[in-house]
């Protein structure tokens, strides 16, 4: 358990009394130190200035120099990290800087980390306390790791930082802190569920975690297989049919809008707790990755948690379609035809194109039941989106230019970037079937992410603004960044939280 605090700048030396204490200070791209750093430099006989002379050190984000002080200075280590150009510095830069600081602390084996944010490092665009609060968020996200299953690792093999202090305007930081703290908690909750293996996190245990969120004031309803059967959700049920785990549909509601009878915004997440491919089974290599095929549902779970924690002034509904896709004597066969909840029939030509079948019924349900003005679904839907966009952008598909612009526009600000792909008749035709209303894979095996989106759009009702975000390339990361260690990224939580905050709170 790591503890995080703000302290006033005047108290920055406080933690130097601890053993294994690290002080992180910052330098701009012109290598200018702030007042505090300069005074420390004097105490250290100019060791900081000297270290900064390295031609490698350009004060860029991600660069740092480490100095071990001689006698008379109580810190075990002093690290000077680059803060980059003031011109390109945003609130995200402060998150990254604090994430880097945590990373350095863990590499050095420091238990106590003090991050000194000097006034000189704060750009004018940031109101008082904003930079500090974003540093706190960055530190929390950077310190995340999923270590619950290690039993034999030695202390020095695990992240060891235990106390993180952000020194700055601690009073002003408090005004911005609650919103970002709620975001950090939501993202961490998402990372936790997405990281869990499928023997632990399956539809029922995930639904149970959702039920636990009643304590936050969320309304939670869980539909089991009998209820879904009675409603006719055969597209979703067909996917879970080969699994011993019972499929679940979770409904999370946050009713925070001041106007009580206003229509909600809805989020729908693909929650395939394990995707073996079913009878259209996947190759063995890499199949373990399919434990995170519930990343969309994980993001919906996290963002609903964030909205509740920060008591957002919005009516929001989160739907999680939870299933496990397995091969079995009772599993769905390629070629089977199912009648979806909407009444439209689907020929299931490939049981590995299961996410869209789950979403078809979940999307229809949320529209029938809650009449939302806007529906956004998140899904690790297609490997093809990684072919198209790599792992930088999530694929964005929408029937509404305003909504698409809003989502794309928030990419820079949140780091959850999207790139919009086209839709239309040319692609839609590909999913016509010879024996049913549609088939779940395209005939020509081209534009796989787009035909998947066309499939989903067939379950969107008239006048509903809809966006589909394909997060197959962004939900999981094999390489760590400053604020996102290897593994689950919680992509989408920030994006949806920011979307609500910017456009849908009243
Ligand atoms: N869950 C996968 C998509 C995926 C692939 C997510 C890689 C994350 C990383 C999805 O259910 C799937 O299997 N899609 C198929 C669709 C195909 C059968 C039309 C795919 O992408 O190959
Ligand atoms: Mn699949
Ligand atoms: Zn899948």
């Amino acid at each position: 358990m790591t503890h995080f605090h703000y302290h006033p700048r005047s108290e920055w030396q406080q933690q130097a009394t601890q053993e294994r204490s690290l002080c992180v200070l910052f330098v701009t791209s012109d290598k200018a130190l702030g007042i505090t750093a300069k005074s420390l430099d004097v105490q250290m006989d100019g060791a900081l200035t000297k270290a900064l002379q390295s031609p490698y050190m350009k004060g860029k984000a991600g660069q740092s120099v480490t100095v071990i002080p001689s006698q008379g200075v109580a810190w075990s280590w002093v690290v000077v990290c680059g803060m980059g150009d003031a011109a390109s510095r945003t609130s995200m830069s402060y998150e990254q800087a604090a994430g880097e600081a945590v990373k350095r602390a863990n590499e050095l084996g420091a238990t106590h980390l003090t991050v000194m944010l000097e006034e000189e490092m704060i750009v004018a665009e940031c109101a008082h306390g904003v930079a500090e609060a974003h540093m706190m968020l960055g530190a929390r996200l950077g310190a995340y790791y999923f270590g619950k299953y290690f039993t034999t690792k030695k202390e020095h093999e695990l992240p060891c930082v235990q106390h993180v202090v952000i020194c700055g305007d601690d009073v002003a930081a408090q005004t911005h802190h609650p919103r970002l703290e709620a975001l950090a908690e939501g993202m961490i909750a998402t990372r936790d569920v997405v990281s869990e293996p499928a023997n632990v996190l399956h539809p029922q245990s995930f639904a149970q975690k959702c039920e636990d969120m009643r304590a936050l004031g969320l309304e939670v309803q869980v539909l089991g297989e009998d209820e879904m059967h009675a409603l006719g959700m055969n597209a979703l049920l067909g996917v879970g049919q080969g699994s011993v785990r019972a499929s679940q549909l979770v409904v999370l509601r946050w009713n925070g809008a001041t106007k009580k009878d206003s229509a909600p915004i809805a989020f729908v997440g693909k929650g395939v707790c394990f995707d073996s491919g079913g009878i259209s089974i996947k190759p063995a290599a890499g199949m373990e990755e399919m434990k995170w095929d519930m990343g969309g549902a994980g993001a919906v779970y996290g963002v609903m948690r964030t909205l509740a924690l920060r008591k957002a002034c919005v009516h929001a509904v989160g739907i999680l379609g939870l299933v496990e896709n397995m091969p079995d004597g009772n599993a769905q066969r390629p070629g089977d035809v199912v009648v979806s909840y909407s009444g439209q029939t689907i020929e299931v030509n490939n049981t590995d194109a299961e996410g869209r079948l789950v979403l078809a019924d979940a999307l229809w349900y949320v529209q029938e039941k809650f009449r939302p003005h806007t529906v956004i679904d998140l899904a690790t839907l297609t490997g093809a989106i990684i072919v198209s966009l790599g792992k930088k952008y999530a694929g964005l598909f929408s029937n509404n230019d305003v909504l698409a612009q809003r989502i794309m526009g928030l990419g820079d600000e949140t780091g959850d970037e999207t790139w919009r792909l086209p839709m239309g008749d040319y692609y839609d035709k590909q999913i016509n079937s010879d024996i049913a209303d549609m088939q779940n894979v395209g005939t020509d095996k081209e534009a796989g992410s787009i035909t998947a989106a066309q499939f989903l759009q067939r379950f969107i009702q008239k006048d509903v603004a809809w966006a589909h975000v394909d997060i197959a390339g962004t939900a999981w990361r094999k390489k760590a960044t400053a604020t996102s260690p290897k593994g689950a990224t919680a992509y989408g939580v920030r994006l949806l939280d920011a979307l609500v905050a910017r456009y849908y709170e009243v």
Side-chain angles (χ1 to χ4, degrees):
M1 237 329 236
T2 311
H3 303 275
F4 299 87
H5 300 282
Y6 297 103
H7 275 267
R9 283 197 188 89
S10 55
E11 288 175 15
W12 74 284
Q13 293 267 37
Q14 217 175 52
Q15 298 227 30
T17 53
Q18 305 291 336
E19 259 179 79
R20 295 168 63 186
S21 60
L22 162 66
C23 176
V24 171
L25 298 134
F26 298 97
V27 66
T28 54
S29 49
D30 53 8
K31 295 200 190 180
L33 291 171
I35 290 179
T36 313
K38 276 184 196 147
S39 71
L40 186 62
D41 192 32
V42 171
Q43 275 181 60
M44 291 169 68
D45 299 324
L48 297 183
T49 308
K50 205 166 161 198
L52 287 171
Q53 275 163 6
S54 154
Y56 148 84
M57 182 59 178
K58 299 210 156 58
K60 284 191 197 154
Q63 295 185 320
S64 67
V65 293
T66 305
V67 181
I68 297 170
S70 49
Q71 311 237 304
V73 173
W75 301 104
S76 316
W77 305 271
V78 175
V79 167
V80 183
C81 285
M83 221 354 146
D85 274 334
S88 55
R89 207 175 300 154
T90 64
S91 53
M92 291 276 284
S93 315
Y94 296 102
E95 289 171 25
Q96 245 125 54
E100 285 297 337
V102 168
K103 200 172 126 200
R104 298 297 295 135
N106 284 329
E107 282 165 4
L108 289 166
T111 54
H112 289 70
L113 166 66
T114 297
V115 183
M116 179 58 177
L117 179 62
E118 299 192 75
E119 261 186 85
E120 295 91 322
M121 302 296 150
I122 301 178
V123 286
E125 294 82 62
C126 282
H128 286 301
V130 166
E132 287 86 342
H134 277 274
M135 281 206 143
M136 183 63 89
L137 173 62
R140 292 210 48 185
L141 296 176
Y144 179 83
Y145 82 108
F146 188 77
K148 67 192 276 198
Y149 296 119
F150 293 126
T151 67
T152 58
K153 276 204 196 282
K154 306 277 184 323
E155 193 223 327
H156 68 271
E157 294 172 297
L158 293 166
C160 53
V161 66
Q162 260 140 52
H163 296 271
V164 177
V165 169
I166 310 286
C167 281
D169 188 339
D170 60 322
V171 177
Q174 291 302 336
T175 46
H176 307 283
H177 179 72
R179 229 208 100 197
L180 295 176
E181 177 67 13
L183 178 58
E185 272 212 35
M187 289 178 72
I188 286 167
T190 297
R191 287 180 182 179
D192 280 342
V193 289
V194 176
S195 304
E196 283 288 1
N199 61 327
V200 175
L201 194 96
H202 48 77
Q204 275 170 333
S205 60
F206 196 176
Q208 182 57 51
K209 281 183 182 291
C210 294
E211 299 212 53
D212 295 344
M213 291 209 295
R214 286 204 183 99
L216 303 177
L218 284 157
E219 244 176 65
V220 186
Q221 197 195 349
V222 179
L223 278 66
E225 289 194 340
D226 291 345
E227 284 139 303
M228 286 192 273
H229 191 77
L231 288 167
M233 295 188 163
N234 303 308
L236 186 153
L237 288 170
V239 176
Q241 188 179 300
S243 168
V244 295
R245 312 283 194 190
S247 302
Q248 311 276 303
L249 190 89
V250 178
V251 182
L252 300 168
R253 295 182 73 190
W254 174 253
N255 299 318
T258 37
K259 204 162 148 249
K260 286 294 158 229
D261 58 354
S262 56
I265 184 168
F267 307 127
V268 178
K270 167 179 172 181
V272 178
C273 295
F274 189 75
D275 180 13
S276 68
I279 297 299
S280 313
I281 198 161
K282 288 182 181 293
M287 202 201 273
E288 71 284 356
E289 293 204 6
M290 286 301 109
K291 72 169 185 181
W292 52 265
D293 205 20
M294 37 58 71
V300 171
Y301 167 81
V303 76
M304 293 304 290
R305 194 178 180 91
T306 294
L307 295 179
L309 284 168
R310 68 176 184 80
K311 304 210 179 332
C313 297
V314 69
H315 283 352
V317 184
I319 305 277
L320 289 72
L322 305 179
V323 301
E324 186 182 58
N325 187 21
M326 297 293 265
D328 179 74
N330 190 45
Q332 175 155 263
R333 291 149 292 260
D336 281 5
V337 174
V338 293
V339 185
S340 71
Y341 178 38
S342 75
Q344 299 176 92
T345 54
I346 306 164
E347 183 187 9
V348 181
N349 283 343
N350 189 320
T351 65
D352 197 13
E354 83 298 338
R356 63 199 75 181
L357 298 169
V358 172
L359 290 173
D361 282 349
L363 287 167
W364 196 258
Y365 180 80
V366 77
Q367 293 167 98
E368 284 293 288
K369 183 94 195 230
F370 300 106
R371 302 278 167 220
H373 52 79
T374 303
V375 176
I376 301 169
D377 74 75
L378 285 99
T380 49
L381 203 63
T382 65
I385 203 67
I386 309 174
V387 177
S388 308
L389 300 174
K391 295 182 177 175
K392 181 173 173 63
Y393 297 98
L396 174 65
F397 304 83
S398 182
N399 64 359
N400 185 296
D401 292 344
V402 174
L403 178 61
Q405 282 299 333
R406 287 176 173 180
I407 293 173
M408 276 186 290
L410 287 165
D412 280 342
E413 216 167 296
T414 60
D416 285 353
E417 294 178 285
T418 55
W419 196 270
R420 191 177 182 185
L421 279 88
M423 295 189 71
D425 202 39
Y426 171 87
Y427 303 104
D428 186 70
K429 282 192 190 127
Q430 305 257 339
I431 55 167
N432 287 334
S433 153
D434 291 336
I435 69 157
D437 297 336
M438 69 193 90
Q439 57 192 19
N440 74 332
V441 286
T443 307
D444 289 341
K445 307 236 179 308
E446 56 179 42
S449 306
I450 306 179
T451 52
Q454 294 293 160
F455 183 94
L456 299 180
Q457 194 174 19
R458 290 198 185 196
F459 298 88
I460 298 300
Q461 300 176 358
K462 213 171 133 276
D463 298 329
V464 173
W466 162 75
H468 155 58
V469 188
D470 192 335
I471 61 170
T474 55
W476 191 266
R477 183 170 277 144
K478 283 187 176 157
K479 276 192 226 136
T481 72
T483 53
S484 185
K486 278 205 262 193
T489 59
Y491 181 100
V493 176
R494 286 194 88 156
L495 180 63
L496 297 181
D497 175 57
L499 188 75
V500 167
R502 180 72 47 84
Y503 301 106
Y504 300 99
E505 289 198 58
V506 284

